[in-house]
Structure formats: C-alpha cells, structure tokens
Amino acid sequence: MSDRTDIKGTIGILTSGGDAPGMNAAIRAVTRAGIFSGYRVMGIRRGYQGLIEEDLFEMGPRDVSDIVQRGGTMLFTARSKEFMTLEGQKRAKATCDKVGIDYLVCIGGDGTYRGAMDICKLGVKCICLPGTIDNDIACTDYTIGFDTAMNTCIEMIDRIKDTEMSHSRCSVVEVMGRRAGHIAVNVAAATGAIDVITVEMPYDIDKICKKIIDQKNTGKTHFEVVVAEGVGHSEDIAKYIQEHTGIDSRATILGYVQRGGAPSCYDRVIAARMGCYAVELIGQNEANRVIAVKNTKLVDYDIQEALSMKKGYDSHLHNLLASLSL
Ligand code: F6P
C-alpha cells in the first residue's frame, strides 16, 4: 500500500453485473485520472462481493497498462447475492472504512446502480458509470459496450447472410437484450433484415410470413429476421416461418460472442471520457451520481433519479424497416 501522506483520498473501482467491452478502458481512465489528480486508487475484484470479502489491491498507472484494447474486465465481475442483504452491505461498508475508501466508482448496469444506492445510504460516496452491452439504462443515450456488441453482431450476421444467400434460406438471428431491443433494432437496420421482433413493439408473425412470400414473388431469395433475446423462441419462429412460407429457415442464437472482443473506438473513447468525468465529480466532492450521455454531452444525475427514469425505444428506426426491406 502507498504510504503517501499527500493524497486527497482513496477511490475504489469495481465492475459488476454482465461484463461489457470498454469496461477496461473505463477502469484505466479512472485509475490514471485519479492518480493524476492526487488520489490513491484501489481495484476491487468481483464487484460488490469482492468488497465484502476485501478482495482488493492498490493500482498504479502500470497496473492498467495494455488493457485499453481488451474486452471483459480485469477486475472480474459478479452478481453478489450477499450484497443484496443489509448484512452484506454493512460488511462492504466495513471494508471501505478499514481500507480507507472514500469513493467508489461502480461500473455496470441498473443492478450495479441499485447496489451503489444501497451502499451510499450507509455513507460511502459512489459515482456510477453505465457499462452494459444492452444499452438499457434509462438516463443515458449510450452505455459502454453497446457499440462493440452491435459491431460484433453485424459481423456475425454478415457471415450468416453468405450461407443464407447460398442456400436461399431464411435466417432468424437472436441477439442479446434480455429486457431491451436496442441491439436488435439497430443490427436489423444495419444488416438489411426483412423485420425485427423486440419486446418493445407488437408483432404479427403471419404478417412477417406474408412479407417473405410477397418478396419471394418479386425475386428475393434469402431473408433475415432479427429477434431480441427478451422475445426468445427463435427456434419456434424459424419453424413457423418455414411451415408458413415453404422457405427453409434456421435459427441462430448469437449468445456470448456479443459480450466479448476488443472494444470499438467509440467504446474506448466514451469510457475514457466517462472515467475522467467520474474523477472530476469526485474532485468536486459530488456523491451518489451516475454519469450519462445526453445528446453527445456527458451529464450526471442523482442515482435514485436515474433509476426512476423510463428508457425510450427507437420506434422510428423500427418502423423504417418496413420501407428499407421492400
Ligand atoms: O450484459 C447484458 C446481457 O448480455 C443480457 O442481454 C443477457 O440476457 C444477460 O446479460 C446475460 O448475462 P448472464 O448470462 O451473465 O447472466
């Protein structure tokens, strides 16, 4: 541990919930900007569970070398059941007191924000960064990892289209988004899908089948339907399409490939900007804030206010598919 006496305070960093590409870039930014601004920085492994178990270490600038380009999270992640109890939260707070953590930077999704709010109530100052591929955090236009995940999806779907085209098939491709169709609607538009099925909008499978038959009659030979994970049943959807159109149909669930891989330029830069912003907020002695992107600018909200917001859905883009897939 550092024996510096001139430090302004100690920042603990953790990642929690599902990992997302760009989390490492955020860890690096908070670490380096924190040290640059005169703070001691501690990395906490396995999210709130690591805080409970005092699984942490002091980080210097070299500890975050060579991670900006890597997916996953060097701090590991977890969904801690123990932290959901008051007892667990008190143990986490006891670690902060023992180690001298004044601020926590918590990177993750809604569940991470709720955890931060709980420990804030016990007196630990938290700043949250949005990190999830799903882009399902209401207060922000954008979450770290979303851009990379979409780019991975389009790369995978482009490959599927090669074989779908060669065999004159219909591909039903399920993309991640347990509660949200943001990945689905964007990749559908980006890959020329005939339609997209998400939890946010009603759909009629018979209309999709009719569209496929109508387009087959105009000479189209291969088709793609994107399904959001929250809707599920992609195997059944493929079967139904095959039975009602006569077109050989296959379902592909893209799964965890979407969560890994090198972060895109956008994810690295937004993570860096958010990490530095977190340290700025700490410098202003702000607490219990979440950082968000609004109309390309970084802003911050009270955690509770952020959690009470309702996420919008790009129904305009969804509806555009009707004309784009003619
Ligand atoms: O990271 C978000 C997400 O990818 C969801 O879309 C998905 O349902 C979920 O995580 C699955 O995560 P896990 O299997 O790790 O619980």
Side-chain angles (χ1 to χ4, degrees):
M1 298 252 165
S2 160
D3 54 2
R4 283 171 53 190
T5 51
D6 57 339
I7 58 164
K8 290 186 186 163
T10 298
I11 302 172
I13 312 174
L14 60 83
T15 50
S16 169
D19 61 301
M23 279 184 165
N24 277 328
I27 294 166
R28 173 181 181 265
V30 176
T31 304
R32 292 208 173 148
I35 293 167
F36 182 80
S37 304
Y39 294 90
R40 185 169 70 127
V41 178
M42 310 284 295
I44 300 156
R45 296 188 190 91
R46 297 178 295 113
Y48 296 112
Q49 192 60 35
L51 194 57
I52 289 171
E53 294 171 13
E54 215 187 306
D55 186 3
L56 36 77
F57 60 105
E58 184 167 347
M59 293 204 292
R62 297 284 73 77
D63 290 299
V64 290
S65 293
D66 207 28
I67 61 164
V68 72
Q69 78 278 25
R70 296 193 196 284
T73 160
M74 68 164 280
L75 292 177
F76 310 105
T77 185
R79 293 185 172 98
S80 171
K81 286 213 165 63
E82 196 178 347
F83 190 74
M84 288 176 187
T85 65
L86 184 59
E87 205 43 52
Q89 291 155 21
K90 283 185 178 163
R91 284 187 64 195
K93 160 78 165 117
T95 302
C96 293
D97 291 343
K98 182 175 167 192
V99 183
I101 292 176
D102 308 292
Y103 288 94
L104 270 183
V105 174
C106 307
I107 309 169
D110 275 358
T112 307
Y113 288 13
R114 277 189 286 276
M117 203 165 69
D118 289 335
I119 197 162
C120 279
K121 286 183 189 145
L122 300 180
V124 182
K125 297 170 184 164
C126 295
I127 306 288
C128 296
L129 264 57
T132 163
I133 65 163
D134 292 346
N135 201 28
D136 60 349
I137 300 180
C139 67
T140 186
D141 294 342
Y142 189 80
T143 58
I144 297 166
F146 180 48
D147 185 60
T148 306
M150 289 191 296
N151 283 315
T152 302
C153 286
I154 66 171
E155 188 192 332
M156 296 300 139
I157 294 174
D158 288 349
R159 288 167 191 244
I160 291 168
K161 281 170 79 93
D162 288 345
T163 171
E164 147 203 315
M165 182 274 295
S166 304
H167 287 263
S168 302
R169 281 179 177 155
C170 174
S171 304
V172 175
V173 185
E174 184 176 312
V175 299
M176 271 186 165
R178 189 163 31 194
R179 292 182 304 263
H182 309 299
I183 295 178
V185 70
N186 280 280
V187 307
T191 57
I194 188 163
D195 221 324
V196 61
I197 304 177
T198 67
V199 283
E200 289 88 347
M201 301 278 272
Y203 74 98
D204 180 341
I205 188 71
D206 292 315
K207 274 197 184 149
I208 296 174
C209 290
K210 182 172 181 316
K211 199 164 159 187
I212 290 173
I213 292 165
D214 288 349
Q215 294 199 6
K216 189 183 172 199
N217 291 337
T218 66
K220 190 168 166 68
T221 57
H222 58 101
F223 306 86
E224 171 210 338
V225 177
V226 175
V227 178
E229 179 190 354
V231 175
H233 310 296
S234 33
E235 296 276 1
D236 295 337
I237 291 169
K239 200 160 166 247
Y240 192 94
I241 290 173
Q242 179 159 320
E243 282 167 6
H244 291 79
T245 63
I247 292 166
D248 198 16
S249 302
R250 298 280 196 278
T252 305
I253 299 172
L254 289 186
Y256 289 99
V257 290
Q258 295 162 89
R259 279 229 301 241
S264 65
C265 178
Y266 187 77
D267 275 327
R268 297 181 200 195
V269 174
I270 203 76
R273 289 179 61 207
M274 286 184 175
C276 293
Y277 191 95
V279 175
E280 272 176 41
L281 291 180
I282 289 169
Q284 293 157 17
N285 207 25
E286 290 282 356
N288 314 340
R289 309 296 291 173
V290 304
I291 295 174
V293 184
K294 273 284 154 203
N295 302 320
T296 74
K297 298 258 179 312
L298 291 191
V299 293
D300 55 284
Y301 298 100
D302 176 77
I303 300 181
Q304 196 154 10
E305 183 192 357
L307 283 170
S308 69
M309 293 179 185
K310 214 174 151 4
K311 183 82 177 174
Y313 175 71
D314 197 343
S315 51
H316 178 70
L317 182 61
H318 190 115
N319 292 329
L320 284 184
L321 285 180
S323 49
L324 291 173
S325 64
L326 201 62

